Amino acid sequence: MNSALEISPQMVSGHVVSNDDRQWDLSLRDGLLWHDGERVLARDCVASIRRWAGARRVWRRTDGGDGRIVRRRMNRTIRFRLKRPFPLLPAALASPRSRRPS
């Protein structure tokens, strides 16, 4: 979040939400690198989200409650499949009040 408490993604260039509002595809920015110079891949982000999320609210909202996050399209897109619409997904992932993905 920025200083005005608006969501300001650092690693995501955009997102697409399905017509039923239960599937979110988050697209990673081009050119993202880790501290060691390796490319950031969706699988890396999924692993980080899984470590961070655990039993947190965002995780319980995924389809089946077992972390149904899939990566797709050349490891550049992260897909969340939700039990029901959750328009606050970006805010939940960016929340300064909880431990963020690492």
Side-chain angles (χ1 to χ4, degrees):
M1 294 187 161
N2 64 20
S3 61
L5 301 179
E6 300 165 326
I7 303 292
S8 181
Q10 294 178 337
M11 297 178 72
V12 174
S13 62
H15 66 272
V16 175
V17 182
S18 65
N19 289 337
D20 66 0
D21 295 327
R22 292 181 51 218
Q23 180 171 294
W24 287 67
D25 289 342
L26 308 178
S27 301
L28 293 176
R29 293 184 191 272
D30 290 330
L32 286 176
L33 301 175
W34 294 114
H35 66 282
D36 61 1
E38 291 292 317
R39 257 183 63 202
V40 173
L41 302 175
R43 70 172 181 233
D44 302 324
C45 297
V46 169
S48 178
I49 292 167
R50 284 188 172 138
R51 282 192 308 273
W52 165 77
R56 288 178 173 77
R57 198 174 318 172
V58 67
W59 207 242
R60 290 189 303 259
R61 292 182 183 276
T62 60
D63 185 21
D66 63 353
R68 298 283 173 101
I69 302 173
V70 294
R71 47 191 191 273
R72 66 193 254 306
R73 284 199 305 215
M74 300 187 319
N75 234 331
R76 305 298 302 154
T77 303
I78 303 164
R79 173 175 284 170
F80 283 83
R81 291 189 182 141
L82 306 173
K83 293 178 185 179
R84 59 183 89 51
F86 182 51
L88 299 176
L89 181 64
L93 293 171
S95 175
R97 287 171 272 155
S98 63
R99 229 178 93 225
R100 289 181 221 144
S102 59

